[in-house]
Amino acid sequence: MAEIKVMQSVLASNDSLAARQLAELDKHGVLGINIMAGPGAGKTALVERTADALAGRFRIHVIEGDLHGDLDARRVAAHGVPCTQVNTEGGCHLDSMMMGAVWPDLDLANLDLVIIENVGNLVCPAEFRMPVHHNVTMLSTPEGSDKPSKYPLAFSRSDVVVVNKIDLLPYVDVDLAELRRAVAKLRPDIPVLELSARTGAGVDAWLGWLEGRLVGRRGTRDA
Amino acid sequence: MAEIKVMQSVLASNDSLAARQLAELDKHGVLGINIMAGPGAGKTALVERTADALAGRFRIHVIEGDLHGDLDARRVAAHGVPCTQVNTEGGCHLDSMMMGAVWPDLDLANLDLVIIENVGNLVCPAEFRMPVHHNVTMLSTPEGSDKPSKYPLAFSRSDVVVVNKIDLLPYVDVDLAELRRAVAKLRPDIPVLELSARTGAGVDAWLGWLEGRLVGRRGTRDA
């Protein structure tokens, strides 16, 4: 029982800190999203596509979570977007305590969107509330249609699911209808967006979803 | 500091239990392997191929680790192999405490090989020593060549790396030479086996590696 109490206390303190950080985003009308996926699902590729598509219209800051190194931050920065790399040094997820080290660096008065790319892991990141308005869970077609059933927490805590690498559909064994049913069992009302961050196919629907939230928030700020 | 001490004590007690469980395998000349990979890399597909290839020559028991459900155990059992499903109920890895619930069910006197398929996660499983002789880390070509650098612990604690889904090579952006260099930086002396569990291409080299260890162990037992 002691162990459970400690974990609950960690989660509760994480959640209350995340709520305070989210309030800072809200004060400035900034939208926050947290992208979760297993390794190699294409999170960074989607961030790169998104940065290019929104350039000149929305101001973005990207936070990259990785165990080690700055490979992803360098990829994103090459698109002209401010990017902060957070290294967990072996840790399996980001949390709001780590965001506490990043938040003071965010130029919130001059931002529209904060994108957090979590550690490549479909399990642990979902347990820790992040200072964002929406969680996004990605998976890629080669991973198969059983992932929502096997990793339900990430999907059930997300407001949109992105199925990446549809350019590989002719070559992999995945049943998209089954995948959609598996998501619907957990969250019947959320969109499942099929796209290829590599080719750009289907990315418009993702941008449409994201820009809808951005414009809504800008409305709040300007009001 | 308190937190670190607790974690070290958990790991130490996990390790000593794993060592005792491994000694039971050794007493019966049974080989144990632990397969680690991210979600959808093809661990279960490799286990299915392996079960078919070794049928009639080596006696196998498979332990399937998943957060929820028994999808993978049912897939493996369909190949006529005894299989035990372990559900972590949200936990991100297997450990030797969980194996403690399985070990009494293993018919060690009538087994040659225990295959443990860990939870789909490239981070946490590597932290917990399992009662096996060899760790095997898998990744699949769509995941990209940067995974060993980003998830070094799993690779540095493995004796063989399996690169699955080479049937997708014409359609994905992966640099196998770079991938091999990334593995070699962590473990210069271990084999990197490229294969497709789906088509069977390259699986012979994997079976050769595994049978080499099995025959060596049978020799120990019969001596």
Side-chain angles (χ1 to χ4, degrees):
Chain A
M1 281 303 286
E3 204 177 347
I4 293 171
K5 277 169 73 182
V6 169
M7 189 63 188
Q8 283 175 340
S9 140
V10 167
L11 289 177
S13 105
N14 176 77
D15 284 6
S16 67
L17 180 54
R20 290 201 296 281
Q21 291 162 340
L22 183 58
E24 290 184 52
L25 294 194
D26 281 334
K27 201 167 73 182
H28 294 91
V30 178
L31 179 72
I33 66 168
N34 171 43
I35 306 180
M36 301 186 284
K43 295 183 293 302
T44 312
L46 185 67
V47 171
E48 291 177 286
R49 279 262 169 210
T50 305
D52 287 348
L54 301 186
R57 294 186 295 132
F58 297 97
R59 298 156 300 175
I60 310 176
H61 193 114
V62 174
I63 300 168
E64 286 291 335
D66 280 291
L67 281 77
H68 307 282
D70 62 353
L71 281 173
D72 290 350
R74 281 189 276 136
R75 278 174 61 183
V76 170
H79 293 257
V81 176
C83 187
T84 306
Q85 178 78 51
V86 175
N87 280 153
T88 63
E89 301 296 339
C92 55
H93 61 87
L94 296 179
D95 58 38
S96 64
M97 282 74 97
M98 298 176 199
M99 294 305 101
V102 177
W103 242 235
D105 291 339
L106 297 177
D107 183 11
L108 293 178
N110 292 300
L111 278 182
D112 301 298
L113 173 62
V114 172
I115 302 178
I116 300 174
E117 182 185 330
N118 218 307
V119 172
N121 181 346
L122 262 182
V123 186
C124 316
E127 295 171 20
F128 291 82
R129 181 174 165 185
M130 296 289 285
V132 297
H133 300 89
H134 301 287
N135 285 327
V136 179
T137 294
M138 285 182 76
L139 78 171
S140 58
T141 59
E143 295 173 52
S145 29
D146 60 353
K147 294 303 161 289
S149 327
K150 293 176 80 172
Y151 306 88
L153 192 65
F155 291 88
S156 65
R157 293 195 171 170
S158 287
D159 296 318
V160 59
V161 169
V162 172
V163 181
N164 190 26
K165 306 193 187 180
I166 57 167
D167 53 306
L168 297 180
L169 278 175
Y171 318 111
V172 297
D173 300 317
V174 66
D175 181 335
L176 289 184
E178 189 183 301
L179 176 54
R180 285 176 169 276
R181 280 195 298 274
V183 172
K185 268 193 195 169
L186 300 163
R187 289 291 308 271
D189 48 349
I190 64 170
V192 177
L193 307 176
E194 296 157 10
L195 58 83
S196 168
R198 186 187 189 222
T199 69
V203 169
D204 279 354
W206 156 251
L207 294 171
W209 181 89
L210 185 58
E211 291 188 36
R213 269 90 203 143
L214 278 163
V215 169
R217 199 140 288 274
R218 178 179 277 175
T220 313
R221 182 179 54 195
D222 297 344
Chain B
M1 284 303 288
E3 205 177 345
I4 293 172
K5 277 170 72 183
V6 170
M7 189 62 189
Q8 283 177 338
S9 138
V10 167
L11 289 177
S13 104
N14 176 78
D15 284 7
S16 67
L17 180 54
R20 288 201 297 280
Q21 292 161 341
L22 183 58
E24 290 184 52
L25 295 194
D26 281 334
K27 200 168 75 181
H28 294 89
V30 177
L31 179 72
I33 65 168
N34 171 43
I35 306 181
M36 303 186 283
K43 295 182 292 302
T44 312
L46 186 66
V47 171
E48 291 176 285
R49 279 261 169 210
T50 305
D52 287 348
L54 300 186
R57 294 185 296 133
F58 297 96
R59 297 157 300 174
I60 310 177
H61 193 114
V62 174
I63 300 168
E64 285 290 336
D66 280 291
L67 282 75
H68 308 281
D70 62 353
L71 282 173
D72 290 351
R74 280 189 277 135
R75 277 174 63 183
V76 170
H79 293 258
V81 176
C83 186
T84 306
Q85 178 78 50
V86 175
N87 280 153
T88 62
E89 300 298 339
C92 55
H93 61 87
L94 296 179
D95 58 38
S96 62
M97 282 73 97
M98 300 175 197
M99 294 305 101
V102 178
W103 242 235
D105 292 339
L106 298 177
D107 183 12
L108 292 179
N110 294 299
L111 278 182
D112 300 298
L113 173 64
V114 172
I115 301 178
I116 301 174
E117 182 184 331
N118 219 306
V119 172
N121 180 346
L122 262 182
V123 186
C124 316
E127 295 171 20
F128 292 82
R129 180 175 166 183
M130 296 290 284
V132 296
H133 299 90
H134 300 288
N135 285 326
V136 179
T137 294
M138 284 183 76
L139 78 172
S140 58
T141 59
E143 296 174 51
S145 28
D146 59 354
K147 295 300 161 290
S149 327
K150 293 176 81 172
Y151 306 89
L153 192 64
F155 291 88
S156 65
R157 291 194 172 171
S158 287
D159 296 318
V160 59
V161 169
V162 173
V163 181
N164 190 25
K165 305 193 188 180
I166 57 167
D167 53 306
L168 297 180
L169 278 175
Y171 317 112
V172 297
D173 300 317
V174 66
D175 181 335
L176 289 183
E178 189 182 303
L179 176 54
R180 285 177 168 275
R181 279 194 299 273
V183 172
K185 267 191 195 170
L186 300 163
R187 291 290 309 268
D189 47 349
I190 65 170
V192 178
L193 306 177
E194 297 158 8
L195 58 83
S196 168
R198 186 188 189 220
T199 68
V203 170
D204 279 354
W206 157 252
L207 294 171
W209 181 88
L210 185 58
E211 292 188 38
R213 268 91 202 144
L214 278 163
V215 170
R217 199 140 289 275
R218 179 178 277 177
T220 313
R221 183 180 54 198
D222 297 343

